[in-house]
Amino acid sequence: MAVSGLFLAVIVVVLAGQWQEVRPLLGRLSAPSVLAAMAAVLVGIAATFLSWRAGLTDLGVRLHLTGGMRVFFLGQLGKYLPGSIWPAVTQMRLGRDYQVPQRASGAAVVVFMLMVIGTGLLVGVPVIPLLGAGATDEYHWLVLVLPLAMVLAAPPVLNRLIALALRVARRPPLPAPLSFGGILRVAGWSIGAWLLYGLQVFVLARQLGADGGWLLLQCTGAFAVAFASGPLLLVVPAGAGVREAALLLLLGPTITAPRAAVIAVVSRLLFIVGDLAWGGAAVLAARRRTHRRPSSSPPTTARR
């Protein structure tokens, strides 16, 4: 929590120190622009769900849509607790309601998180030179992390690592190994999410008066790098403060620090609302399906 507080303090200091510049910027954010950014976040979160579901399906377990929504979106709320283990624990627990093997739930979380970080770096690292010398100096080491993430995401490597972990834990093998096609589907949905999240930042930045021919690309790359750096600090709830401080550093030289600080705070609020909204929608959808299904029919999980 001390790390989280430190990063959040950076945002508070920037907002307080440049309040005269920040205050009029807040007034520029119109309801239509915030709603447009919110829509991009909501669709982006849905894309992350489809990425996770594609990974679970490739591992040999297929959940119906409402069951998958309940497992994923309620599980994701666990990321707001300290430590990155809670989404995995919650998803494994909820998956049991649909006869999903815990080893498959755990492996799906690993694949999903690896893809979040890997595709985030894939989208963001090439854009870093467009964000100024400060961003290049601070994040040049990610050039080395990106190839490592890509190697780990390769099915032959990832299948062997998962199989080894299961053997050590004395658990049965997965229903099916990961395939190249499945990994590409997981990555494709993740990249789609990054593009939508970048669009969110772009909408807010334009509304705040930022411009430039590379602005959309800069917003997308900066957010992808900032977001992907969050899971690297496991003790921070949902990367709290890490994403904001990184976004401030990456976007500040491009669109000015006051604008970047406002975007970082508003974006965090939009994601909290988005996670809660999808969590609520998942609960409602699951309840409707339960009411429609005969009481004698248990939830089914089709495995290939």
mmCIF file of all heavy atoms in Angstrom, residues 216-266:
data_model
loop_
_atom_site.group_PDB
_atom_site.id
_atom_site.type_symbol
_atom_site.label_atom_id
_atom_site.label_comp_id
_atom_site.label_asym_id
_atom_site.label_seq_id
_atom_site.Cartn_x
_atom_site.Cartn_y
_atom_site.Cartn_z
ATOM 1 N N LEU A 216 -3.351 10.305 -31.745
ATOM 2 C CA LEU A 216 -4.029 9.036 -31.488
ATOM 3 C C LEU A 216 -3.009 7.933 -31.234
ATOM 4 O O LEU A 216 -3.165 7.114 -30.307
ATOM 5 C CB LEU A 216 -4.932 8.667 -32.657
ATOM 6 C CG LEU A 216 -5.668 7.321 -32.540
ATOM 7 C CD1 LEU A 216 -6.521 7.278 -31.274
ATOM 8 C CD2 LEU A 216 -6.529 7.063 -33.773
ATOM 9 N N LEU A 217 -1.960 7.899 -32.044
ATOM 10 C CA LEU A 217 -0.927 6.887 -31.871
ATOM 11 C C LEU A 217 -0.206 7.074 -30.541
ATOM 12 O O LEU A 217 0.086 6.106 -29.828
ATOM 13 C CB LEU A 217 0.063 6.969 -33.032
ATOM 14 C CG LEU A 217 1.099 5.841 -33.157
ATOM 15 C CD1 LEU A 217 0.403 4.499 -33.315
ATOM 16 C CD2 LEU A 217 2.018 6.110 -34.339
ATOM 17 N N GLN A 218 0.087 8.323 -30.197
ATOM 18 C CA GLN A 218 0.772 8.609 -28.939
ATOM 19 C C GLN A 218 -0.093 8.220 -27.736
ATOM 20 O O GLN A 218 0.398 7.634 -26.774
ATOM 21 C CB GLN A 218 1.137 10.098 -28.876
ATOM 22 C CG GLN A 218 2.229 10.495 -29.844
ATOM 23 C CD GLN A 218 2.360 12.008 -29.991
ATOM 24 O OE1 GLN A 218 1.352 12.722 -29.965
ATOM 25 N NE2 GLN A 218 3.584 12.487 -30.142
ATOM 26 N N CYS A 219 -1.372 8.547 -27.802
ATOM 27 C CA CYS A 219 -2.284 8.205 -26.699
ATOM 28 C C CYS A 219 -2.390 6.695 -26.526
ATOM 29 O O CYS A 219 -2.371 6.182 -25.399
ATOM 30 C CB CYS A 219 -3.668 8.802 -26.962
ATOM 31 S SG CYS A 219 -3.748 10.600 -26.816
ATOM 32 N N THR A 220 -2.490 5.968 -27.635
ATOM 33 C CA THR A 220 -2.626 4.516 -27.571
ATOM 34 C C THR A 220 -1.364 3.870 -27.016
ATOM 35 O O THR A 220 -1.414 3.016 -26.124
ATOM 36 C CB THR A 220 -2.941 3.945 -28.961
ATOM 37 O OG1 THR A 220 -4.141 4.555 -29.466
ATOM 38 C CG2 THR A 220 -3.128 2.442 -28.914
ATOM 39 N N GLY A 221 -0.220 4.276 -27.541
ATOM 40 C CA GLY A 221 1.039 3.699 -27.079
ATOM 41 C C GLY A 221 1.328 4.027 -25.630
ATOM 42 O O GLY A 221 1.764 3.155 -24.861
ATOM 43 N N ALA A 222 1.094 5.283 -25.232
ATOM 44 C CA ALA A 222 1.365 5.691 -23.853
ATOM 45 C C ALA A 222 0.483 4.929 -22.879
ATOM 46 O O ALA A 222 0.950 4.450 -21.839
ATOM 47 C CB ALA A 222 1.144 7.200 -23.704
ATOM 48 N N PHE A 223 -0.799 4.780 -23.211
ATOM 49 C CA PHE A 223 -1.692 4.079 -22.294
ATOM 50 C C PHE A 223 -1.340 2.600 -22.217
ATOM 51 O O PHE A 223 -1.377 1.996 -21.137
ATOM 52 C CB PHE A 223 -3.147 4.232 -22.725
ATOM 53 C CG PHE A 223 -4.119 3.706 -21.707
ATOM 54 C CD1 PHE A 223 -4.545 4.506 -20.665
ATOM 55 C CD2 PHE A 223 -4.577 2.404 -21.770
ATOM 56 C CE1 PHE A 223 -5.418 4.021 -19.697
ATOM 57 C CE2 PHE A 223 -5.444 1.906 -20.813
ATOM 58 C CZ PHE A 223 -5.873 2.714 -19.774
ATOM 59 N N ALA A 224 -0.983 1.995 -23.349
ATOM 60 C CA ALA A 224 -0.628 0.573 -23.350
ATOM 61 C C ALA A 224 0.590 0.310 -22.465
ATOM 62 O O ALA A 224 0.604 -0.640 -21.668
ATOM 63 C CB ALA A 224 -0.366 0.099 -24.775
ATOM 64 N N VAL A 225 1.608 1.148 -22.582
ATOM 65 C CA VAL A 225 2.802 0.975 -21.750
ATOM 66 C C VAL A 225 2.469 1.219 -20.282
ATOM 67 O O VAL A 225 2.888 0.463 -19.397
ATOM 68 C CB VAL A 225 3.919 1.924 -22.212
ATOM 69 C CG1 VAL A 225 5.082 1.928 -21.202
ATOM 70 C CG2 VAL A 225 4.440 1.512 -23.583
ATOM 71 N N ALA A 226 1.691 2.282 -20.014
ATOM 72 C CA ALA A 226 1.343 2.606 -18.632
ATOM 73 C C ALA A 226 0.515 1.495 -17.997
ATOM 74 O O ALA A 226 0.741 1.110 -16.848
ATOM 75 C CB ALA A 226 0.573 3.926 -18.590
ATOM 76 N N PHE A 227 -0.439 0.955 -18.736
ATOM 77 C CA PHE A 227 -1.317 -0.098 -18.220
ATOM 78 C C PHE A 227 -0.532 -1.391 -18.014
ATOM 79 O O PHE A 227 -0.688 -2.069 -16.990
ATOM 80 C CB PHE A 227 -2.456 -0.334 -19.205
ATOM 81 C CG PHE A 227 -3.646 -1.055 -18.632
ATOM 82 C CD1 PHE A 227 -4.842 -0.391 -18.447
ATOM 83 C CD2 PHE A 227 -3.562 -2.393 -18.286
ATOM 84 C CE1 PHE A 227 -5.946 -1.056 -17.926
ATOM 85 C CE2 PHE A 227 -4.653 -3.065 -17.763
ATOM 86 C CZ PHE A 227 -5.856 -2.384 -17.577
ATOM 87 N N ALA A 228 0.308 -1.742 -18.986
ATOM 88 C CA ALA A 228 1.058 -2.995 -18.903
ATOM 89 C C ALA A 228 2.060 -2.977 -17.758
ATOM 90 O O ALA A 228 2.446 -4.044 -17.248
ATOM 91 C CB ALA A 228 1.782 -3.254 -20.224
ATOM 92 N N SER A 229 2.484 -1.796 -17.320
ATOM 93 C CA SER A 229 3.438 -1.725 -16.207
ATOM 94 C C SER A 229 2.763 -1.963 -14.862
ATOM 95 O O SER A 229 3.439 -2.279 -13.884
ATOM 96 C CB SER A 229 4.142 -0.363 -16.192
ATOM 97 O OG SER A 229 3.214 0.686 -15.935
ATOM 98 N N GLY A 230 1.430 -1.843 -14.795
ATOM 99 C CA GLY A 230 0.714 -2.032 -13.539
ATOM 100 C C GLY A 230 0.894 -3.405 -12.924
ATOM 101 O O GLY A 230 1.235 -3.521 -11.742
ATOM 102 N N PRO A 231 0.666 -4.490 -13.696
ATOM 103 C CA PRO A 231 0.803 -5.837 -13.110
ATOM 104 C C PRO A 231 2.209 -6.173 -12.638
ATOM 105 O O PRO A 231 2.396 -7.155 -11.908
ATOM 106 C CB PRO A 231 0.402 -6.759 -14.279
ATOM 107 C CG PRO A 231 -0.447 -5.913 -15.164
ATOM 108 C CD PRO A 231 0.132 -4.537 -15.061
ATOM 109 N N LEU A 232 3.213 -5.389 -13.036
ATOM 110 C CA LEU A 232 4.579 -5.678 -12.624
ATOM 111 C C LEU A 232 4.789 -5.405 -11.140
ATOM 112 O O LEU A 232 5.742 -5.908 -10.540
ATOM 113 C CB LEU A 232 5.568 -4.854 -13.457
ATOM 114 C CG LEU A 232 5.507 -5.112 -14.974
ATOM 115 C CD1 LEU A 232 6.526 -4.246 -15.695
ATOM 116 C CD2 LEU A 232 5.776 -6.592 -15.270
ATOM 117 N N LEU A 233 3.909 -4.571 -10.542
ATOM 118 C CA LEU A 233 3.972 -4.326 -9.107
ATOM 119 C C LEU A 233 2.811 -5.078 -8.462
ATOM 120 O O LEU A 233 1.694 -4.588 -8.405
ATOM 121 C CB LEU A 233 3.888 -2.824 -8.800
ATOM 122 C CG LEU A 233 5.134 -2.011 -9.168
ATOM 123 C CD1 LEU A 233 4.902 -0.540 -8.875
ATOM 124 C CD2 LEU A 233 6.346 -2.507 -8.409
ATOM 125 N N LEU A 234 3.077 -6.288 -7.987
ATOM 126 C CA LEU A 234 2.024 -7.205 -7.572
ATOM 127 C C LEU A 234 1.260 -6.739 -6.340
ATOM 128 O O LEU A 234 0.135 -7.155 -6.121
ATOM 129 C CB LEU A 234 2.630 -8.587 -7.302
ATOM 130 C CG LEU A 234 3.388 -9.214 -8.477
ATOM 131 C CD1 LEU A 234 3.922 -10.571 -8.076
ATOM 132 C CD2 LEU A 234 2.499 -9.334 -9.702
ATOM 133 N N VAL A 235 1.855 -5.865 -5.516
ATOM 134 C CA VAL A 235 1.196 -5.512 -4.262
ATOM 135 C C VAL A 235 0.209 -4.371 -4.432
ATOM 136 O O VAL A 235 -0.509 -4.031 -3.507
ATOM 137 C CB VAL A 235 2.242 -5.102 -3.194
ATOM 138 C CG1 VAL A 235 3.165 -6.256 -2.911
ATOM 139 C CG2 VAL A 235 3.033 -3.877 -3.638
ATOM 140 N N VAL A 236 0.180 -3.759 -5.605
ATOM 141 C CA VAL A 236 -0.652 -2.576 -5.786
ATOM 142 C C VAL A 236 -2.014 -2.980 -6.329
ATOM 143 O O VAL A 236 -2.091 -3.623 -7.368
ATOM 144 C CB VAL A 236 0.020 -1.581 -6.751
ATOM 145 C CG1 VAL A 236 -0.835 -0.332 -6.904
ATOM 146 C CG2 VAL A 236 1.396 -1.199 -6.215
ATOM 147 N N PRO A 237 -3.118 -2.625 -5.660
ATOM 148 C CA PRO A 237 -4.444 -3.000 -6.143
ATOM 149 C C PRO A 237 -4.726 -2.426 -7.520
ATOM 150 O O PRO A 237 -4.731 -1.211 -7.702
ATOM 151 C CB PRO A 237 -5.394 -2.405 -5.087
ATOM 152 C CG PRO A 237 -4.553 -2.169 -3.885
ATOM 153 C CD PRO A 237 -3.174 -1.881 -4.405
ATOM 154 N N ALA A 238 -4.970 -3.296 -8.521
ATOM 155 C CA ALA A 238 -5.327 -2.902 -9.876
ATOM 156 C C ALA A 238 -4.320 -1.940 -10.469
ATOM 157 O O ALA A 238 -4.655 -1.122 -11.321
ATOM 158 C CB ALA A 238 -6.725 -2.271 -9.895
ATOM 159 N N GLY A 239 -3.059 -2.013 -10.021
ATOM 160 C CA GLY A 239 -2.062 -1.088 -10.537
ATOM 161 C C GLY A 239 -2.314 0.343 -10.132
ATOM 162 O O GLY A 239 -1.890 1.279 -10.805
ATOM 163 N N ALA A 240 -3.034 0.536 -9.009
ATOM 164 C CA ALA A 240 -3.451 1.866 -8.598
ATOM 165 C C ALA A 240 -2.254 2.792 -8.456
ATOM 166 O O ALA A 240 -1.303 2.505 -7.744
ATOM 167 C CB ALA A 240 -4.215 1.785 -7.273
ATOM 168 N N GLY A 241 -2.304 3.929 -9.129
ATOM 169 C CA GLY A 241 -1.238 4.909 -9.056
ATOM 170 C C GLY A 241 -0.114 4.646 -10.029
ATOM 171 O O GLY A 241 0.482 5.591 -10.556
ATOM 172 N N VAL A 242 0.210 3.376 -10.278
ATOM 173 C CA VAL A 242 1.283 3.043 -11.215
ATOM 174 C C VAL A 242 0.903 3.513 -12.616
ATOM 175 O O VAL A 242 1.684 4.171 -13.309
ATOM 176 C CB VAL A 242 1.543 1.523 -11.222
ATOM 177 C CG1 VAL A 242 2.663 1.181 -12.189
ATOM 178 C CG2 VAL A 242 1.880 1.049 -9.825
ATOM 179 N N ARG A 243 -0.302 3.153 -13.053
ATOM 180 C CA ARG A 243 -0.752 3.544 -14.382
ATOM 181 C C ARG A 243 -0.808 5.062 -14.508
ATOM 182 O O ARG A 243 -0.375 5.630 -15.519
ATOM 183 C CB ARG A 243 -2.137 2.956 -14.645
ATOM 184 C CG ARG A 243 -2.674 3.236 -16.037
ATOM 185 C CD ARG A 243 -4.171 2.998 -16.128
ATOM 186 N NE ARG A 243 -4.558 1.730 -15.523
ATOM 187 C CZ ARG A 243 -5.812 1.392 -15.294
ATOM 188 N NH1 ARG A 243 -6.803 2.224 -15.576
ATOM 189 N NH2 ARG A 243 -6.096 0.230 -14.753
ATOM 190 N N GLU A 244 -1.334 5.725 -13.468
ATOM 191 C CA GLU A 244 -1.477 7.179 -13.539
ATOM 192 C C GLU A 244 -0.120 7.879 -13.623
ATOM 193 O O GLU A 244 0.070 8.797 -14.430
ATOM 194 C CB GLU A 244 -2.251 7.688 -12.311
ATOM 195 C CG GLU A 244 -3.715 7.344 -12.315
ATOM 196 C CD GLU A 244 -4.005 5.900 -11.930
ATOM 197 O OE1 GLU A 244 -3.062 5.187 -11.518
ATOM 198 O OE2 GLU A 244 -5.164 5.485 -12.045
ATOM 199 N N ALA A 245 0.821 7.445 -12.776
ATOM 200 C CA ALA A 245 2.144 8.069 -12.783
ATOM 201 C C ALA A 245 2.860 7.813 -14.106
ATOM 202 O O ALA A 245 3.513 8.708 -14.661
ATOM 203 C CB ALA A 245 2.980 7.544 -11.621
ATOM 204 N N ALA A 246 2.741 6.589 -14.632
ATOM 205 C CA ALA A 246 3.375 6.273 -15.913
ATOM 206 C C ALA A 246 2.739 7.066 -17.045
ATOM 207 O O ALA A 246 3.437 7.580 -17.940
ATOM 208 C CB ALA A 246 3.267 4.773 -16.188
ATOM 209 N N LEU A 247 1.418 7.186 -17.028
ATOM 210 C CA LEU A 247 0.737 7.946 -18.072
ATOM 211 C C LEU A 247 1.129 9.421 -18.017
ATOM 212 O O LEU A 247 1.294 10.074 -19.055
ATOM 213 C CB LEU A 247 -0.781 7.796 -17.907
ATOM 214 C CG LEU A 247 -1.658 8.216 -19.085
ATOM 215 C CD1 LEU A 247 -1.312 7.414 -20.334
ATOM 216 C CD2 LEU A 247 -3.137 8.029 -18.742
ATOM 217 N N LEU A 248 1.290 9.928 -16.813
ATOM 218 C CA LEU A 248 1.727 11.314 -16.651
ATOM 219 C C LEU A 248 3.121 11.514 -17.234
ATOM 220 O O LEU A 248 3.374 12.505 -17.946
ATOM 221 C CB LEU A 248 1.721 11.675 -15.162
ATOM 222 C CG LEU A 248 2.168 13.083 -14.779
ATOM 223 C CD1 LEU A 248 1.246 14.120 -15.403
ATOM 224 C CD2 LEU A 248 2.193 13.234 -13.268
ATOM 225 N N LEU A 249 4.018 10.582 -16.973
ATOM 226 C CA LEU A 249 5.379 10.687 -17.492
ATOM 227 C C LEU A 249 5.412 10.553 -19.007
ATOM 228 O O LEU A 249 6.114 11.300 -19.694
ATOM 229 C CB LEU A 249 6.248 9.601 -16.855
ATOM 230 C CG LEU A 249 7.678 9.466 -17.396
ATOM 231 C CD1 LEU A 249 8.474 10.728 -17.121
ATOM 232 C CD2 LEU A 249 8.379 8.255 -16.789
ATOM 233 N N LEU A 250 4.626 9.615 -19.538
ATOM 234 C CA LEU A 250 4.670 9.335 -20.967
ATOM 235 C C LEU A 250 3.971 10.394 -21.799
ATOM 236 O O LEU A 250 4.434 10.762 -22.884
ATOM 237 C CB LEU A 250 4.046 7.965 -21.241
ATOM 238 C CG LEU A 250 4.835 6.763 -20.721
ATOM 239 C CD1 LEU A 250 3.953 5.521 -20.675
ATOM 240 C CD2 LEU A 250 6.054 6.501 -21.592
ATOM 241 N N LEU A 251 2.835 10.890 -21.312
ATOM 242 C CA LEU A 251 2.049 11.847 -22.095
ATOM 243 C C LEU A 251 2.391 13.302 -21.786
ATOM 244 O O LEU A 251 2.119 14.188 -22.599
ATOM 245 C CB LEU A 251 0.555 11.634 -21.844
ATOM 246 C CG LEU A 251 -0.139 10.553 -22.654
ATOM 247 C CD1 LEU A 251 -1.617 10.517 -22.304
ATOM 248 C CD2 LEU A 251 0.034 10.760 -24.146
ATOM 249 N N GLY A 252 2.962 13.542 -20.589
ATOM 250 C CA GLY A 252 3.230 14.916 -20.171
ATOM 251 C C GLY A 252 3.976 15.761 -21.194
ATOM 252 O O GLY A 252 3.530 16.855 -21.547
ATOM 253 N N PRO A 253 5.116 15.273 -21.723
ATOM 254 C CA PRO A 253 5.844 16.080 -22.703
ATOM 255 C C PRO A 253 5.071 16.304 -24.001
ATOM 256 O O PRO A 253 5.336 17.258 -24.729
ATOM 257 C CB PRO A 253 7.112 15.241 -22.969
ATOM 258 C CG PRO A 253 7.247 14.362 -21.776
ATOM 259 C CD PRO A 253 5.851 14.054 -21.357
ATOM 260 N N THR A 254 4.114 15.431 -24.302
ATOM 261 C CA THR A 254 3.377 15.523 -25.564
ATOM 262 C C THR A 254 2.186 16.458 -25.471
ATOM 263 O O THR A 254 1.942 17.270 -26.364
ATOM 264 C CB THR A 254 2.890 14.119 -25.987
ATOM 265 O OG1 THR A 254 4.019 13.254 -26.108
ATOM 266 C CG2 THR A 254 2.146 14.179 -27.319
ATOM 267 N N ILE A 255 1.431 16.367 -24.377
ATOM 268 C CA ILE A 255 0.194 17.157 -24.280
ATOM 269 C C ILE A 255 0.176 18.081 -23.071
ATOM 270 O O ILE A 255 -0.857 18.674 -22.771
ATOM 271 C CB ILE A 255 -1.035 16.225 -24.225
ATOM 272 C CG1 ILE A 255 -1.034 15.406 -22.937
ATOM 273 C CG2 ILE A 255 -1.074 15.302 -25.425
ATOM 274 C CD1 ILE A 255 -2.299 14.592 -22.739
ATOM 275 N N THR A 256 1.279 18.213 -22.360
ATOM 276 C CA THR A 256 1.480 18.986 -21.124
ATOM 277 C C THR A 256 1.047 18.190 -19.905
ATOM 278 O O THR A 256 0.094 17.411 -19.954
ATOM 279 C CB THR A 256 0.764 20.355 -21.101
ATOM 280 O OG1 THR A 256 -0.630 20.170 -20.891
ATOM 281 C CG2 THR A 256 1.020 21.130 -22.390
ATOM 282 N N ALA A 257 1.771 18.405 -18.811
ATOM 283 C CA ALA A 257 1.533 17.654 -17.575
ATOM 284 C C ALA A 257 0.136 17.869 -17.000
ATOM 285 O O ALA A 257 -0.492 16.907 -16.543
ATOM 286 C CB ALA A 257 2.598 18.010 -16.538
ATOM 287 N N PRO A 258 -0.409 19.101 -16.972
ATOM 288 C CA PRO A 258 -1.765 19.265 -16.424
ATOM 289 C C PRO A 258 -2.805 18.454 -17.179
ATOM 290 O O PRO A 258 -3.670 17.817 -16.565
ATOM 291 C CB PRO A 258 -2.018 20.777 -16.562
ATOM 292 C CG PRO A 258 -0.667 21.381 -16.564
ATOM 293 C CD PRO A 258 0.201 20.402 -17.285
ATOM 294 N N ARG A 259 -2.734 18.449 -18.504
ATOM 295 C CA ARG A 259 -3.684 17.650 -19.291
ATOM 296 C C ARG A 259 -3.515 16.165 -18.991
ATOM 297 O O ARG A 259 -4.491 15.434 -18.820
ATOM 298 C CB ARG A 259 -3.468 17.899 -20.782
ATOM 299 C CG ARG A 259 -3.903 19.280 -21.285
ATOM 300 C CD ARG A 259 -3.909 19.287 -22.813
ATOM 301 N NE ARG A 259 -4.293 20.584 -23.346
ATOM 302 C CZ ARG A 259 -3.467 21.463 -23.880
ATOM 303 N NH1 ARG A 259 -2.167 21.179 -23.923
ATOM 304 N NH2 ARG A 259 -3.903 22.606 -24.359
ATOM 305 N N ALA A 260 -2.262 15.715 -18.944
ATOM 306 C CA ALA A 260 -2.005 14.297 -18.681
ATOM 307 C C ALA A 260 -2.515 13.888 -17.309
ATOM 308 O O ALA A 260 -3.047 12.785 -17.136
ATOM 309 C CB ALA A 260 -0.509 14.007 -18.797
ATOM 310 N N ALA A 261 -2.367 14.771 -16.305
ATOM 311 C CA ALA A 261 -2.844 14.459 -14.959
ATOM 312 C C ALA A 261 -4.361 14.330 -14.932
ATOM 313 O O ALA A 261 -4.909 13.419 -14.300
ATOM 314 C CB ALA A 261 -2.381 15.540 -13.979
ATOM 315 N N VAL A 262 -5.054 15.234 -15.602
ATOM 316 C CA VAL A 262 -6.518 15.169 -15.658
ATOM 317 C C VAL A 262 -6.963 13.878 -16.348
ATOM 318 O O VAL A 262 -7.876 13.176 -15.888
ATOM 319 C CB VAL A 262 -7.091 16.399 -16.385
ATOM 320 C CG1 VAL A 262 -8.588 16.229 -16.629
ATOM 321 C CG2 VAL A 262 -6.839 17.663 -15.568
ATOM 322 N N ILE A 263 -6.314 13.551 -17.463
ATOM 323 C CA ILE A 263 -6.665 12.328 -18.203
ATOM 324 C C ILE A 263 -6.437 11.096 -17.341
ATOM 325 O O ILE A 263 -7.262 10.168 -17.324
ATOM 326 C CB ILE A 263 -5.852 12.240 -19.502
ATOM 327 C CG1 ILE A 263 -6.321 13.316 -20.489
ATOM 328 C CG2 ILE A 263 -5.971 10.854 -20.127
ATOM 329 C CD1 ILE A 263 -5.453 13.432 -21.721
ATOM 330 N N ALA A 264 -5.320 11.068 -16.605
ATOM 331 C CA ALA A 264 -5.000 9.899 -15.773
ATOM 332 C C ALA A 264 -6.071 9.674 -14.718
ATOM 333 O O ALA A 264 -6.518 8.537 -14.498
ATOM 334 C CB ALA A 264 -3.633 10.098 -15.116
ATOM 335 N N VAL A 265 -6.511 10.743 -14.073
ATOM 336 C CA VAL A 265 -7.512 10.612 -13.015
ATOM 337 C C VAL A 265 -8.870 10.238 -13.594
ATOM 338 O O VAL A 265 -9.557 9.339 -13.093
ATOM 339 C CB VAL A 265 -7.614 11.914 -12.202
ATOM 340 C CG1 VAL A 265 -8.777 11.837 -11.220
ATOM 341 C CG2 VAL A 265 -6.313 12.178 -11.461
ATOM 342 N N VAL A 266 -9.280 10.910 -14.663
ATOM 343 C CA VAL A 266 -10.583 10.624 -15.273
ATOM 344 C C VAL A 266 -10.607 9.193 -15.819
ATOM 345 O O VAL A 266 -11.598 8.472 -15.669
ATOM 346 C CB VAL A 266 -10.900 11.640 -16.384
ATOM 347 C CG1 VAL A 266 -12.163 11.238 -17.150
ATOM 348 C CG2 VAL A 266 -11.080 13.030 -15.792
#
